[in-house]
Amino acid sequence: MVTRMETGPGQVTVYLSGELDHHAARPLREQIDGIAERCGAKKLRLDFEGVPFMDSSGIGLIMGRYRMMCALGGELQVTGMSERLRSIMRLGGLERLPIFPQQKGEHNETDQ
Amino acid sequence: MKPINELRLEFPSRSANEGFARTAVASFLAQLDPAVDEMADVRTAVSEAVTNCIVHAYPDRIGPVIVQVRLYRNGRVIIRVKDRGCGIPDVEKAMEPLFTTGGEERSGLGFSVMESFTDRLKVTSRVGKGTTVTMEKYIAVRQP
Ligand SMILES: Nc1ncnc2c1ncn2[C@@H]1O[C@H](COP(=O)(O)OP(=O)(O)OP(=O)(O)O)[C@@H](O)[C@H]1O
Ligand SMILES: [Mg+2]
């Protein structure tokens, strides 16, 4: 479910909530794509803070949105994931995708 | 060895039942007093297996999904998820990470998730007859 959205210059943040399984994925996908299309923003941010459970259907949803934003010459960012959700992302090697912004407390080697 | 307790669920392959199935199995396991992570592992693995029945086994009809949970001594749990759907022609290939016949919105990671969140995974399938996924999980016995 989308609980809230926030738009800024060239970007939109969509706040998700509830359990993200196959049943929830389809309506969620339609909502997100609708919002992205209406805003025409180059940067789509999905916030998972309110998502306590996700399975591989969530990975499919993220990959689908990632491809969509790449095709539009834009960018996808994923924020607010619990360690549990990130461990599911890691299974498919997805933590290597450039979709996780640097967290507070994580530093580049250069700015120690 | 005889199970000390047993649950059997059967429901039609409607996606609304995905949440019900994982929650029902988790509630049944509560008697073993699992850790939060163990409970989450089981919920996720059951969700994957049940979703596969709904998405792949019965692509254009509704059919039965059977979930069976058996509890044994020492925290050993066997979960079986069974359908009478289309079956899998090449199980080994289907279990490879990222392999999917589900198109754009599927990642092909369901079996990888089941494998990493349980202690053992076995898949048997016959084309035209159906598929059975058997997962084994040990819930640590916690000393009081
Ligand atoms: N119960 C089943 N009946 C028939 N085919 C199945 C069944 N379960 C899995 N498969 C086949 O195995 C493939 C891999 O399954 P897996 O769960 O790993 O990935 P997926 O379901 O395609 O994608 P994801 O689970 O990441 O959304 C499926 O694409 C499908 O072809
Ligand atoms: Mg699957």
Side-chain angles (χ1 to χ4, degrees), chain A residues 56-57, chain B residues 48 52-53 56-57 83 86-88 94 99-102 105-112 114 131:
Chain A
S56 66
S57 297
Chain B
E48 295 294 351
N52 278 353
C53 302
H56 304 294
D83 66 67
C86 64
I88 305 175
F99 176 87
T100 182
T101 57
E105 291 293 326
R106 310 238 65 84
S107 63
L109 288 170
F111 282 130
S112 307
M114 290 181 242
T131 302

Side-chain angles (χ1 to χ4, degrees), chain A residues 19-25 29 33 52-65 67 84 87-89 91-94, chain B residues 14-19 22-23 36-38 40-44 47-48 51 54-55 98 104-107 109-110 112-113 116-117:
Chain A
E19 306 209 325
L20 208 183
D21 61 6
H22 158 255
H23 182 67
R29 181 172 81 222
D33 290 1
F53 173 90
M54 177 180 109
D55 61 17
S56 66
S57 297
I59 300 182
L61 180 124
I62 292 166
M63 287 306 297
R65 308 303 55 73
R67 285 195 213 98
R84 178 91 205 161
S87 77
I88 291 170
M89 297 291 288
L91 277 180
L94 297 174
Chain B
R14 298 191 185 281
S15 63
N17 290 326
E18 292 159 6
R22 62 178 178 264
T23 303
V36 173
D37 273 346
E38 291 169 332
D41 289 351
V42 169
R43 278 168 60 78
T44 314
S47 193
E48 295 294 351
T51 300
I54 292 166
V55 175
L98 304 176
E104 282 283 283
E105 291 293 326
R106 310 238 65 84
S107 63
L109 288 170
S112 307
V113 169
S116 85
F117 288 165

Side-chain angles (χ1 to χ4, degrees), chain A residues 59-103:
Chain A
I59 300 182
L61 180 124
I62 292 166
M63 287 306 297
R65 308 303 55 73
Y66 174 69
R67 285 195 213 98
M68 173 183 84
M69 292 313 288
C70 287
L72 295 171
E75 192 188 330
L76 174 73
Q77 276 198 349
V78 169
T79 58
M81 275 193 170
S82 64
E83 186 42 44
R84 178 91 205 161
L85 263 58
R86 288 187 77 132
S87 77
I88 291 170
M89 297 291 288
R90 274 197 288 276
L91 277 180
L94 297 174
E95 83 283 7
R96 288 194 298 264
L97 286 183
I99 58 176
F100 298 104
Q102 283 216 336
Q103 311 271 311

